[in-house]
């Protein structure tokens, strides 16, 4: 019997992560999602994946605390053996993150450090440790943001971390190519979720301004992103690596 392909997706309990998890399952992949504090939401996502006919489970992970990563991978190793009857997985999607919208002049060192630990340092070292558990010939998808390439007041620290992610993506693609591991970055435009306090979804003026500068004339939805991430994992995207793929509906054209 052919071994099913498995994805490790960080931050899969809601919003973009939930949509990614379901789209990955629809591509005939088994899914391991992580959550920080929203266990009930994560369990619900797992149940929805199982209804699709794929295997799934959820593990707790605080991406800001690299000191917990060894214990996380010990738990992951056990789950892979007991739940998926294997010791390795094939794809890693680095989605988990937080948003802080503060003007440059008011950004505190504490806010900067939190963003760095979650959005960059955590991703860097989680991926590094994940390599020992990944099969050759797989893929990594890192979540960036349109804000890394286009400036919007209040996101200087957040966007700087995403710029670092895009640089890291190219280096990972180069250094992991001998193992046949492809690495790409997906850069969503503004998406209507509760991310960063739900400003894109709930602020009418903000929402209207985004529509004006977006070629396709609306704000993005989670369903616009998950399918792109899933595509980059599967074999249809086997010749794509080291790319930044913006998914913004033509924002700022």
């Amino acid at each position: 019997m052919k071994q099913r392909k498995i994805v490790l997706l960080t931050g899969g309990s809601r919003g973009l992560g939930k949509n990614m998890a379901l789209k990955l399952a629809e591509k005939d992949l088994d899914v391991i999602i992580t959550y920080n504090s929203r266990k009930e939401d994560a369990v619900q996502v797992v149940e929805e994946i199982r209804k699709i006919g794929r295997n799934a489970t959820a593990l707790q992970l605080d991406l800001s605390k690299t000191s917990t990563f060894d214990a996380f991978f010990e738990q992951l190793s056990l789950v892979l053996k007991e739940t998926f009857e294997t010791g390795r997985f094939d794809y890693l999607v680095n989605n988990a993150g937080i948003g802080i919208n503060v003007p440059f002049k008011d950004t505190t060192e504490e806010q900067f450090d939190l963003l760095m630990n979650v959005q960059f340092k955590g991703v860097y070292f989680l991926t590094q440790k994940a390599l020992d558990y990944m099969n050759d010939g797989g893929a990594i998808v890192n979540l960036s943001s349109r804000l890394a390439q286009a400036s919007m007041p209040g996101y200087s620290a957040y966007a700087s971390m995403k710029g670092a992610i895009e640089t890291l993506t190219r280096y990972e693609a180069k250094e992991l190519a001998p193992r046949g591991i492809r690495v790409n970055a997906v850069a969503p435009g503004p998406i209507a979720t509760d991310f960063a306090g739900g400003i894109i979804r709930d602020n009418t003026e903000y929402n209207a301004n985004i529509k004006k500068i977006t070629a396709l004339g609306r704000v993005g939805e989670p369903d616009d992103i998950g399918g792109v991430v899933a595509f980059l994992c599967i074999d249809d995207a086997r010749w794509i690596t080291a790319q930044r793929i913006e998914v913004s509906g033509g924002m700022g054209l």
Side-chain angles (χ1 to χ4, degrees):
M1 182 177 179
K2 186 178 179 180
Q3 180 67 46
R4 291 177 175 177
K5 301 286 188 176
I6 302 170
V7 186
L8 173 61
L9 165 68
T10 66
S13 63
R14 60 195 174 97
L16 289 183
K18 176 181 179 179
N19 187 266
M20 291 173 199
L22 296 175
K23 294 295 186 181
L24 288 161
E26 290 173 2
K27 292 294 185 181
D28 207 29
L29 304 175
D30 290 340
V31 187
I32 301 170
I33 66 170
T34 75
Y35 64 93
N36 184 8
S37 59
R38 303 173 73 111
K39 183 177 181 178
E40 291 184 2
D41 290 344
V43 170
Q44 183 178 349
V45 174
V46 167
E47 291 176 354
E48 291 185 40
I49 292 171
R50 289 175 177 168
K51 288 179 181 177
I52 294 173
R54 308 313 315 162
N55 201 357
T57 194
L59 298 175
Q60 198 278 333
L61 173 67
D62 185 345
L63 202 58
S64 71
K65 297 178 179 177
T66 56
S67 62
T68 67
F69 288 179
D70 284 341
F72 170 77
F73 279 103
E74 288 177 7
Q75 185 181 18
L76 175 67
S77 181
L78 186 63
V79 166
L80 283 168
K81 292 174 183 177
E82 293 183 348
T83 304
F84 300 91
E85 299 181 343
T86 183
R88 308 178 75 81
F89 64 94
D90 303 277
Y91 310 110
L92 172 63
V93 178
N94 286 307
N95 167 68
I98 57 171
I100 297 177
N101 182 357
V102 181
F104 169 73
K105 68 180 182 63
D106 298 324
T107 298
T108 66
E109 189 171 351
E110 181 181 18
Q111 290 169 330
F112 183 95
D113 287 346
L114 179 58
L115 281 166
M116 181 178 68
N117 288 339
V118 174
Q119 303 284 13
F120 184 59
K121 182 181 178 181
V123 172
Y124 191 105
F125 288 104
L126 186 82
T127 303
Q128 185 185 80
K129 290 184 179 295
L131 294 176
D132 289 337
Y133 300 85
M134 288 186 69
N135 286 316
D136 292 351
I140 297 171
V141 180
N142 295 322
L143 265 290
S144 181
S145 170
R146 174 174 165 75
L147 291 169
Q149 301 289 329
S151 304
M152 187 172 292
Y155 290 101
S156 62
Y158 173 86
S160 294
M161 306 310 161
K162 292 303 188 182
I165 285 292
E166 293 187 6
T167 298
L168 176 63
T169 296
R170 294 193 296 274
Y171 273 85
E172 289 174 334
K174 182 72 170 180
E175 295 190 26
L176 299 181
R179 289 185 56 183
I181 296 176
R182 299 174 292 102
V183 190
N184 293 288
V186 171
I191 307 294
T193 67
D194 60 0
F195 188 75
I199 185 172
I200 296 165
R201 180 192 61 198
D202 302 331
N203 186 310
T204 303
E205 182 179 356
Y206 198 92
N207 197 293
N209 287 337
I210 290 171
K211 291 178 181 178
K212 289 178 183 178
I213 60 173
T214 301
L216 294 182
R218 64 174 175 83
V219 169
E221 298 289 341
D223 205 43
D224 297 320
I225 308 300
V228 178
V229 171
F231 162 73
L232 288 171
C233 288
I234 64 174
D235 198 46
D236 286 351
R238 61 188 174 275
W239 203 234
I240 301 174
T241 195
Q243 300 304 303
R244 172 192 187 270
I245 299 176
E246 182 170 313
V247 191
S248 69
M251 192 175 181
L253 296 180

